[in-house]
Amino acid sequence: MMYSLKDELKVLGSIPNAAALRNKGNGSGTSVRVFPVGRLDRDSSGLVVLTDDGRVPEALLDPSRKAPKTYEVDVTPAPSTSAIEKLRAGVVITTTQQRDGETTTGPTLPCSVDIIRKRGDGKFATLRFELREGRNRQIRKMCDAVGVDVT
């Protein structure tokens, strides 16, 4: 069973039949574990999917599986054609590993990047990224590398 929530503060209140979910399992009234499938940065908003099957996050997030993940991102200014090509080919970024704090500098994997909407005479755009890796603040850093800011 999977649940999607847009507001992390309303987790239990937003799950339909939360009382039944808490009573699921061994029948003793103990809570069922709920696992997030991914995460959002503090400065990001979006959808977080929750599941009571711990195999789902593993299948989708294990780096060795390189499962595609799609993101829509508002940026300013709208990137040029050459900037989009650089993003698609991979750009060099520096990231910090979440677990051990180790810093890594290297190119991102090639990915799909498309402009899906432009607004304000090219001052703003919405990009769709499909990534097969998940480095810390990767999209923000990729955009920064080509001179656009995530808004």
Side-chain angles (χ1 to χ4, degrees), residues 63-119:
S64 68
R65 291 194 168 110
K66 298 195 183 329
K69 293 168 267 319
T70 303
Y71 303 87
E72 289 186 6
V73 182
D74 293 325
V75 298
T76 185
S80 66
T81 303
S82 67
I84 293 292
E85 291 303 319
K86 288 177 185 175
L87 290 169
R88 288 176 179 158
V91 295
V92 175
I93 63 172
T94 300
T95 56
T96 303
Q97 303 297 321
Q98 291 291 315
R99 290 190 175 96
D100 58 16
E102 182 179 325
T103 300
T104 306
T105 299
T108 58
L109 294 176
C111 64
S112 170
V113 182
D114 296 300
I115 297 177
I116 58 173
R117 193 176 315 115
K118 281 189 179 181
R119 301 176 307 285

Side-chain angles (χ1 to χ4, degrees), residues 5-8 39-48 71-74 135-141 150-151:
L5 307 170
K6 290 189 176 187
D7 185 346
E8 65 184 80
R39 63 184 186 279
L40 293 173
D41 291 336
R42 181 182 340 214
D43 300 329
S44 300
S45 62
L47 180 70
V48 174
Y71 303 87
E72 289 186 6
V73 182
D74 293 325
R135 294 163 64 180
N136 186 7
R137 298 183 179 256
Q138 180 173 345
I139 292 175
R140 290 179 186 278
K141 292 176 180 183
V150 174
T151 57

